[in-house]
Amino acid sequence: MQEVQQILKARNLRSTQSRKEILTYLLSNKYAVAHADVEKTLSELDRVTIYRTLSTFMEKGIIHQVSDDTGATKYAVCSHQCDSLGHHDEHVHFKCVKCEQIQCIDTVEIPDIDLPEGFRPLYSNYLIYGVCKEC
Ligand SMILES: [Zn+2]
Ligand SMILES: [Zn+2]
Ligand SMILES: [Zn+2]
């Protein structure tokens, strides 16, 4: 709980009950979670509050988006290098084909890729499929 308050304070966010609950849930989960997961777990919160809180967390560099091949957007907690000025989540994500969970592999950076002339990259989303440690 202490950590949650600190994270919010460091980003100049008031610690409202919903922010604390959502952040606690995100931190307790080592896998990326979808909006629907938050909604199911914290069923007393309404959709709009969850939606707003997640986008505030994104803006403030607390969480980042992880795109899944199913089209569902998932969110994972950022490393300490991220803040409201920008994200630095240039790491790969791993999707397990057995448990279907996605996790951040913070220790592995997205490799530099040489694009043909005229192509300007904006961001990358590097998803590796395989079987995770637990499966
Ligand atoms: Zn980030
Ligand atoms: Zn797995
Ligand atoms: Zn990540």
Side-chain angles (χ1 to χ4, degrees):
M1 211 40 163
Q2 192 67 21
E3 196 188 356
V4 168
Q5 310 256 30
Q6 270 169 14
I7 293 173
L8 293 173
K9 205 173 157 211
R11 266 86 175 178
N12 292 318
L13 288 171
R14 269 194 313 125
S15 19
T16 61
Q17 192 58 33
S18 48
R19 281 176 184 161
K20 281 192 284 189
E21 280 178 32
I22 294 175
L23 189 52
T24 304
Y25 172 64
L26 289 165
L27 286 168
S28 70
N29 219 309
K30 65 176 183 145
Y31 302 115
V33 299
H35 184 288
D37 298 324
V38 183
E39 214 178 292
K40 209 161 38 171
T41 311
L42 304 171
S43 50
E44 75 282 4
L45 299 176
D46 65 85
R47 292 182 67 105
V48 180
T49 306
I50 297 171
Y51 181 79
R52 282 209 197 114
T53 307
L54 290 175
S55 52
T56 304
F57 285 176
M58 287 242 302
E59 275 166 35
K60 296 287 182 181
I62 299 175
I63 57 174
H64 59 277
Q65 272 190 345
V66 183
S67 309
D68 191 357
D69 54 342
T70 62
T73 301
K74 296 196 164 189
Y75 303 91
V77 178
C78 291
S79 67
H80 296 295
Q81 295 148 8
C82 296
D83 54 31
S84 42
L85 298 174
H87 283 273
H88 304 279
D89 304 293
E90 288 91 17
H91 54 258
V92 304
H93 290 116
F94 189 93
K95 179 167 184 173
C96 177
V97 295
K98 285 196 174 166
C99 64
E100 298 194 320
Q101 300 284 4
I102 299 180
Q103 49 188 302
C104 296
I105 311 286
D106 291 321
T107 48
V108 182
E109 273 185 44
I110 296 178
D112 277 331
I113 291 170
D114 276 330
L115 291 172
E117 220 179 301
F119 290 87
R120 201 162 46 93
L122 292 176
Y123 61 90
S124 27
N125 179 30
Y126 206 103
L127 192 60
I128 297 173
Y129 294 85
V131 180
C132 78
K133 269 200 296 197
E134 278 77 30
C135 293

